[in-house]
Amino acid sequence: MKEFLVSKGIPDSLILVDNYGDNTRATIDNTLALKKELDFNSVIVVSQYFHVTRTKKLFKDKGFVNVTSVSSKYFEPRDLYSIIREFPAYYIQ
């Protein structure tokens, strides 16, 4: 997704990649842990289109409501599995 942002003109220096987010909850926790250090009041979730809804929900569940999202616009056959998987994951997480 970083490559996608760079291809759209976002400077590499403005992109933070979470290499320790083994799951969505970990990514949310890791991002919010940086809030004091980086003093931000909004985030942009960049992920596959089927994943952003749950990610935004988890941010809001943690009290962080200024969340927007972007995703690349392409579909792969494996996305069918991912869409199906995301439905229960939204409610379980």
Side-chain angles (χ1 to χ4, degrees):
M1 297 316 289
K2 180 178 179 178
E3 291 174 18
F4 169 75
L5 289 174
V6 171
S7 76
K8 298 298 181 186
I10 305 299
D12 182 80
S13 62
L14 296 179
I15 302 168
L16 297 176
V17 176
D18 178 18
N19 292 316
Y20 301 102
D22 296 329
N23 58 51
T24 307
R25 281 195 188 279
T27 295
I28 303 310
D29 292 341
N30 295 343
T31 302
L32 293 177
L34 291 171
K35 190 173 181 332
K36 288 181 184 175
E37 178 185 336
L38 299 177
D39 192 31
F40 57 84
N41 61 11
S42 65
V43 296
I44 302 172
V45 174
V46 181
S47 189
Q48 292 90 352
Y49 65 90
F50 53 80
H51 188 66
V52 295
T53 301
R54 181 166 50 102
T55 305
K56 290 169 73 172
K57 176 191 180 298
L58 290 171
F59 267 114
K60 289 177 183 178
D61 289 351
K62 293 275 187 166
F64 196 87
V65 295
N66 196 359
V67 181
T68 57
S69 62
V70 66
S71 60
S72 55
K73 295 178 182 174
Y74 64 88
F75 183 82
E76 297 177 322
R78 69 181 179 156
D79 290 352
L80 290 173
Y81 159 78
S82 300
I83 292 168
I84 293 167
R85 182 187 67 94
E86 281 299 309
F87 184 77
Y90 180 87
Y91 295 99
I92 294 170
Q93 291 263 322

